Amino acid sequence: MTLIIRDLAKSFATEGKPPVEALASLNLEVLDHEFVSVLGPSGCGKTTLLRIVAGLETATSGTVELDGGAVTRPCPRMAMIFQEYSLYPWRNVLDNIAFGLEVKGEPAAERRKVAAQYLDLVSLADFAYHYPYELSGGMRQRVAVARALAI
């Protein structure tokens, strides 16, 4: 998977003040099998960048391409783990992990098999039938990671 970002900019309008420039002239190329971290202080635009790359937000200018195609809306090949875990409180851990697979239309047996595999990967197999309120914050974050990896 190749990600190319060219001249990306994002500004937010503010009432009675000049726009806030979150990103400006950003260029980045991430090649297949590369691992990249985005670091910076609070408020520097990291989350804005990731939301644009995920197709959850539009840039003011510039382009984002994934494998040669423009990213203009959410892409089923990408997943984002938000700072808030965004787990469904009425679904147990296993069903939370399987959710993305359900949306993709995977058969129930396959969803459970894949979800169990990633549940084991994040060392939470013993908590498959627990609900989010029964987990610690770190455990909830691992469920969110497993859900992203499962799709």
Side-chain angles (χ1 to χ4, degrees), residues 8-27:
L8 195 69
K10 177 68 177 183
S11 59
F12 295 94
T14 56
E15 192 173 319
K17 297 179 183 176
V20 173
E21 193 173 74
L23 301 170
S25 303
L26 180 71
N27 291 284

Side-chain angles (χ1 to χ4, degrees), residues 96-118:
N96 262 288
I97 294 170
F99 178 75
L101 300 168
E102 182 179 335
V103 171
K104 288 175 68 175
E106 294 287 335
E110 181 65 16
R111 288 194 310 256
R112 293 185 87 65
K113 177 182 165 192
V114 171
Q117 181 181 1
Y118 285 99

Side-chain angles (χ1 to χ4, degrees), residues 74-104:
C75 172
R77 293 178 55 207
M78 287 192 263
M80 185 167 178
I81 303 167
F82 294 93
Q83 291 172 350
E84 296 293 324
Y85 323 112
S86 303
L87 300 179
Y88 297 112
W90 61 88
R91 287 182 175 240
N92 64 38
V93 167
L94 190 67
D95 291 339
N96 262 288
I97 294 170
F99 178 75
L101 300 168
E102 182 179 335
V103 171
K104 288 175 68 175

